[in-house]
């Protein structure tokens, strides 16, 4: 299913996007060495409830997961890259943490992810990997606009990731959003320009480049949800929800000043 929002629905999408961005930045500001992943999940739960919004994750039960997700945010640490199930783990200095959050408010979903290094230690390889996903995300956004095609976005993202030296996994990628979290079209993190669905104003897309330092192979954790690098190498993930407008692509999940 591909949904196209009407002009009257776009303000609701912007509100949801701002909420998701604000929650992620607040969680980032609170996450330091010693912070438990379960505390991050609890903070996300409370902020979603305070905003009168709904989590897209708690009851989520896709074919690639084991039962309902049961938590409010994905917390992926170091070799975990996607769908990280929060568990009793205190963050250590230098951990690479990815937070992925999808929320529904006013009947419209926004989805975003950030990766950052916890504490004072900043391993250069991890910094470079996060930077590559962020640059790839910016390239994908720049390639999106009315009349462009999904392949243009995929090609732009993949070109940046490949140039940075990373192999690209195509099992999971970006996707459409709207009244539900995961919709068509699928947006691979590599592809050929000029191919695929033609973008139209009112379309919401979640673009999400992610990489693993030295492999493209995933393994599923014993929890049935968390996806890790097959080699145990570190990973990074960046994501924004964008709206296609008559003038191009508007990023709905850009962060503002983190809340205290």
């Amino acid at each position: 299913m591909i949904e196209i929002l009407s002009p009257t629905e776009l303000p609701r999408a912007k509100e949801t996007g701002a909420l998701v961005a604000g929650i992620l930045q607040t969680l980032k500001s609170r996450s330091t060495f010693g912070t438990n992943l379960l505390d991050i999940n609890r903070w996300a739960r409370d902020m979603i409830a305070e905003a009168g919004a709904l989590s897209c994750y708690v009851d989520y039960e896709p074919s690639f997961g084991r039962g309902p997700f049961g938590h409010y945010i994905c917390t992926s640490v170091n070799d975990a890259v996607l769908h990280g199930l929060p568990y009793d783990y205190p963050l250590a200095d230098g951990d690479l943490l990815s937070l992925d959050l999808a929320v529904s408010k006013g009947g419209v979903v926004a989805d975003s992810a950030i990766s950052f290094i916890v504490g004072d230690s900043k391993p250069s390889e991890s910094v470079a990997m996060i930077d590559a996903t962020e640059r790839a995300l910016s390239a994908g956004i720049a390639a999106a606009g009315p009349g462009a095609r999904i392949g243009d976005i995929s090609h732009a993202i993949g070109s940046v990731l490949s140039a940075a030296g990373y192999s690209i996994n195509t099992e999971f990628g970006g996707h459409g959003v709207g009244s539900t979290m995961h919709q068509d079209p699928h947006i691979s993190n590599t592809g050929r320009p000029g191919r695929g669905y033609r973008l139209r104003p009112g379309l919401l897309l979640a673009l999400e480049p992610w990489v693993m330092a030295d492999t493209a192979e995933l393994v599923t954790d014993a929890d049935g949800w968390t996806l890790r690098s097959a080699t145990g190498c570190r990973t990074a993930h960046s994501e924004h929800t964008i709206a296609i407008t008559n003038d191009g692509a508007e990023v709905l999940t850009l962060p503002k000043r983190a809340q205290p």
Side-chain angles (χ1 to χ4, degrees):
M1 178 178 67
I2 297 178
E3 292 183 4
I4 302 297
L5 270 63
S6 69
T8 59
E9 292 175 302
L10 186 57
R12 283 188 281 149
K14 291 181 179 181
E15 181 181 2
T16 309
L19 173 63
V20 168
I23 291 174
L24 285 176
Q25 290 303 305
T26 299
L27 294 175
K28 179 180 179 180
S29 70
R30 293 181 181 179
S31 298
T32 187
F33 51 91
T35 301
N36 197 293
L37 298 183
L38 293 178
D39 286 333
I40 296 174
N41 181 70
R42 177 174 53 82
W43 295 333
R45 177 199 66 193
D46 292 347
M47 285 186 280
I48 292 169
E50 288 168 6
L54 297 172
S55 168
C56 295
Y57 291 164
V58 172
D59 298 322
Y60 189 49
E61 193 173 2
S63 60
F64 55 79
R66 181 188 300 163
F69 187 74
H71 291 74
Y72 292 80
I73 191 167
C74 296
T75 56
S76 302
V77 182
N78 295 333
D79 65 322
V81 65
L82 298 172
H83 313 154
L85 193 71
Y87 66 103
D88 184 11
Y89 173 78
L91 293 166
D93 186 40
D95 275 348
L96 198 165
L97 175 63
S98 298
L99 300 177
D100 191 352
L101 180 68
V103 164
S104 176
K105 184 171 179 157
V108 183
V109 171
D111 191 358
S112 184
I114 57 175
S115 291
F116 56 94
I117 301 170
V118 174
D120 299 321
S121 177
K122 306 293 182 186
S124 59
E125 296 86 355
S126 297
V127 172
M129 186 162 47
I130 294 169
D131 177 69
T133 64
E134 292 175 347
R135 288 188 291 108
L137 181 55
S138 295
I141 293 167
R149 292 187 179 272
I150 292 297
D152 299 329
I153 298 174
S154 297
H155 177 72
I157 290 172
S159 295
V160 173
L161 298 181
S162 295
Y166 299 105
S167 301
I168 300 172
N169 178 291
T170 57
E171 295 173 76
F172 296 91
H175 51 90
V177 295
S179 60
T180 57
M181 176 173 57
H182 283 149
Q183 298 183 1
D184 291 329
H186 172 73
I187 308 164
S188 175
N189 284 327
T190 188
R192 297 177 62 182
R195 301 293 185 93
Y197 181 80
R198 189 180 296 277
L199 309 186
R200 298 167 51 191
L203 179 66
L204 297 187
L205 299 173
L207 311 185
E208 48 180 315
W210 58 274
V211 293
M212 300 176 282
D214 62 15
T215 184
E217 184 180 352
L218 291 168
V219 293
T220 303
D221 197 72
D223 63 21
W225 275 100
T226 305
L227 296 177
R228 299 184 182 275
S229 63
T231 62
C233 68
R234 285 195 164 195
T235 68
H237 177 202
S238 297
E239 179 179 15
H240 275 314
T241 294
I242 65 172
I244 305 302
T245 72
N246 289 322
D247 300 319
E250 180 175 358
V251 183
L252 304 184
T253 49
L254 275 179
K256 296 181 179 179
R257 183 168 58 91
Q259 299 299 311

